[in-house]
Each structure stands twice: as structure tokens, then as C-alpha cells.
Amino acid sequence: IDTRAHEVEEALVKHGLTVTRRREKNGWVALEARLARFLNGSAASARALDEERRQIAALIADISHQTRTPIANLLLYASLLKESPLSPAQQEQLRALRGQAEKLAFLMEALVKSSRLDAGVLTLSPALHPIQPLLEDAAAQDAATAAEKGISLTVQPCTGSARFDAKWTSEALFNVVDNALKYTPPGGRVTLSAECYELFCRIRVTD
């Protein structure tokens, strides 16, 4: 009996509970009941958390589905209006309209991806990669946009490496650079740089 009670006490301590040793013959019964209540409560909390995550994911998926068509229509009509003769003031309003529609589409896409990542639908596979190719690839993807707006898009050299998921980190960096180009006026400058430290690497997109 003493041996079994000692094992139950160790289990309670492992889960951060304070233990008072029972010396009476049936003391292990109370300890065992206490441990059972704790484990049952933990299981119920885990189930509630999983259900809450499932509901949030379902809500985000529904919001994304309901907004995808209106956003696509806004971008389509903005493209059609761009081909029409417009006054300078109307062109400026159209640019603002298109910019806000694109921003909304970006935010919805990011929200859906974050939800999938949290739900485990998307998985990350971090590995050691050099930083410089990551910066250069992001700049290359947006080179045409930068040239069209007359923006100087440059990459500063970096010799360090870091552990990251190449696919998703590249996509995240591309979105940040793309956003910087959208809100940088013609003739401006966007610079990509990185600083590697002992525990992490910091990537900067300066506009």
C-alpha cells in the first residue's frame, strides 16, 4: 500500500500538485481519487480547447467562403474601370479602391492560412538554409512590380544561415515585400536585409 501511495504521490508532483503524505492505511485511496479528478479535468479542458479550435476554424472558413466572391468582383470591376477614360481624380480614387480590395484579399488569405496552421492542416518543416537565397528569391518575384513603379528594390548581402521552412517563409517574405511595394510611392526604395544572432535571424524589409 505504501509503495502504491508513493507512486501516486510522484504522479501528482509531476503535474505540479502539492502532496501531503497520508500515513493511514487507506491514504492511497484519497490520493488516487485526487489524481483521477485532476486527469479527468485535464482531459475535459483539452476536449473543450479542441472543440473551440474546431469552431474557430469553421467560422474562418465560412467567412473566407462568403467574402471570396465579393472581393474578386471588386478587383474585376476595378480592372475594367482602369481601361475606361477617367479623370485624374477618378484614377486616384480607383487606385485607392483597388489597393483596399487587394489588402482585404491579402488579409483574408493570411487569416485562412493561420487557421489551417493552428489546426494542423498545414505543417512546417524547418531545416537549416542560407539566408541570402531567400532574400534574393523574394526580390526576384517582385522585380517586375518594382520596375513598373520605378522603385529601387535592393538586397543587402548576408552570409548567415537559419532554420526555417523554405516554402512558407519564402511566401511570407514575398507578401511583406509585395505590400511594401504597393505602399511605396514611385521613385522610392525598398531594401531587404538580414541580421543573424545566436538564437534567431532578423529579416528587415525597409521602405
Side-chain angles (χ1 to χ4, degrees):
I1 292 176
D2 290 341
T3 301
R4 187 173 181 184
H6 180 68
E7 292 175 350
V8 173
E9 288 177 4
E10 288 183 344
L12 287 168
V13 172
K14 183 178 180 181
H15 288 85
L17 298 180
T18 303
V19 177
T20 302
R21 177 173 288 277
R22 306 293 185 91
R23 295 189 179 277
E24 58 269 24
K25 194 173 182 179
N26 63 343
W28 64 270
V29 175
L31 290 173
E32 202 170 47
R34 187 179 177 189
L35 178 60
R37 288 195 301 270
F38 173 76
L39 294 178
N40 289 336
S42 298
S45 298
R47 288 193 297 270
L49 181 60
D50 289 340
E51 176 62 20
E52 184 178 351
R53 286 178 175 174
R54 187 194 66 78
Q55 292 179 0
I56 292 175
L59 176 62
I60 291 175
D62 184 56
I63 293 174
S64 173
H65 176 74
Q66 296 296 331
T67 57
R68 184 178 293 114
T69 299
I71 293 174
N73 287 339
L74 283 173
L75 293 173
L76 174 61
Y77 292 139
S79 298
L80 294 175
L81 285 172
K82 188 177 180 180
E83 304 299 326
S84 304
L86 300 175
S87 66
Q90 290 174 329
Q91 291 177 3
E92 184 62 30
Q93 293 170 353
L94 178 59
R95 279 193 293 270
L97 172 64
R98 184 175 182 85
Q100 292 301 313
E102 290 176 346
K103 184 176 182 180
L104 182 58
F106 168 78
L107 291 175
M108 289 306 306
E109 184 179 357
L111 184 62
V112 171
K113 288 181 179 178
S114 297
S115 174
R116 290 176 178 173
L117 182 62
D118 185 62
V121 177
L122 299 179
T123 57
L124 300 179
S125 302
L128 188 64
H129 299 284
I131 299 298
Q132 189 66 20
L134 176 68
L135 303 180
E136 293 177 350
D137 288 345
Q141 292 183 67
D142 269 321
T145 302
E148 182 180 351
K149 293 188 64 175
I151 296 174
S152 174
L153 179 58
T154 59
V155 177
Q156 294 184 355
C158 176
T159 58
S161 299
R163 290 183 60 83
F164 57 89
D165 183 290
K167 176 183 177 182
W168 293 112
T169 306
S170 177
E171 181 170 340
L173 181 57
F174 165 76
N175 287 333
V176 175
V177 175
D178 188 62
N179 191 64
L181 291 173
K182 285 179 181 178
Y183 296 100
T184 298
R189 176 185 296 273
V190 174
T191 304
L192 280 68
S193 62
E195 300 174 26
C196 292
Y197 300 93
E198 184 176 352
L199 298 179
F200 67 95
C201 179
R202 173 184 294 160
I203 296 177
R204 295 180 182 273
V205 179
T206 307
D207 57 6

